[in-house]
């Protein structure tokens, strides 16, 4: 249920209005959330990713592809954040390739239609 905008409940002063947050910060936060999700879905948060109960390569493919689209389409706005985000994306793409029993052809892996082949 959405909050009633006429409600007199005080707003937490530590919560910033989305309109006050710079676009680069919103994009970066979204990218970090997608990276975290992809890492979880690759099982990278567990001691042995190969036996992780969280591993779901189909879901990881979707999240990595969304991440690649976000970073590629936003690179001109990211400034100094672009390099680390691209490196994180490439690490996830490589981890996906290494996790796959039958790796995709170069250029066909998750997000590679946006980034080009990752080896």
């Amino acid at each position: 249920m959405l909050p009633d905008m006429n409600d007199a409940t005080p707003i937490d002063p530590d919560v910033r209005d989305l309109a006050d947050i710079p676009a680069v910060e919103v994009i970066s936060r979204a990218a970090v959330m997608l990276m975290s999700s992809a890492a979880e879905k690759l099982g990278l948060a567990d001691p042995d990713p190969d036996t992780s109960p969280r591993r779901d390569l189909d879901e990881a493919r979707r999240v990595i592809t969304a991440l690649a689209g976000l970073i590629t389409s936003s690179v001109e706005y990211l400034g100094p954040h672009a390099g680390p985000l691209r490196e994180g994306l490439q690490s996830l793409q490589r981890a996906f390739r290494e996790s796959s029993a039958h790796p995709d052809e170069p250029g066909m892996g998750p997000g590679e239609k946006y980034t080009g082949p990752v080896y």
Side-chain angles (χ1 to χ4, degrees):
M1 175 188 255
L2 293 175
D4 181 0
M5 298 310 278
N6 295 320
D7 189 1
T9 306
I11 296 175
D12 183 347
D14 292 332
V15 176
R16 295 191 307 181
D17 189 331
L18 194 55
D20 296 334
I21 301 172
V24 67
E25 188 174 336
V26 173
I27 294 166
S28 297
R29 284 184 182 192
V32 169
M33 182 178 285
L34 290 168
M35 286 180 171
S36 297
S37 175
E40 288 285 342
K41 293 177 185 316
L42 289 169
L44 298 178
D46 292 316
D48 183 5
D50 293 331
T51 61
S52 172
R54 293 177 190 85
R55 180 178 267 184
D56 185 336
L57 296 182
D58 288 335
E59 286 286 302
R61 177 184 296 278
R62 291 179 182 109
V63 176
I64 294 168
T65 299
L67 175 63
L70 175 64
I71 291 174
T72 302
S73 64
S74 303
V75 73
E76 67 183 287
Y77 310 117
L78 294 173
H81 303 280
L85 290 173
R86 280 181 163 168
E87 289 170 14
L89 169 59
Q90 289 174 353
S91 293
L92 290 166
Q93 288 172 309
R94 282 191 293 277
F96 183 92
R97 182 173 299 285
E98 292 169 7
S99 298
S100 298
H102 303 286
D104 297 314
E105 292 293 321
M108 301 303 290
E112 291 183 1
K113 69 181 177 180
Y114 302 113
T115 64
V118 175
Y119 300 97

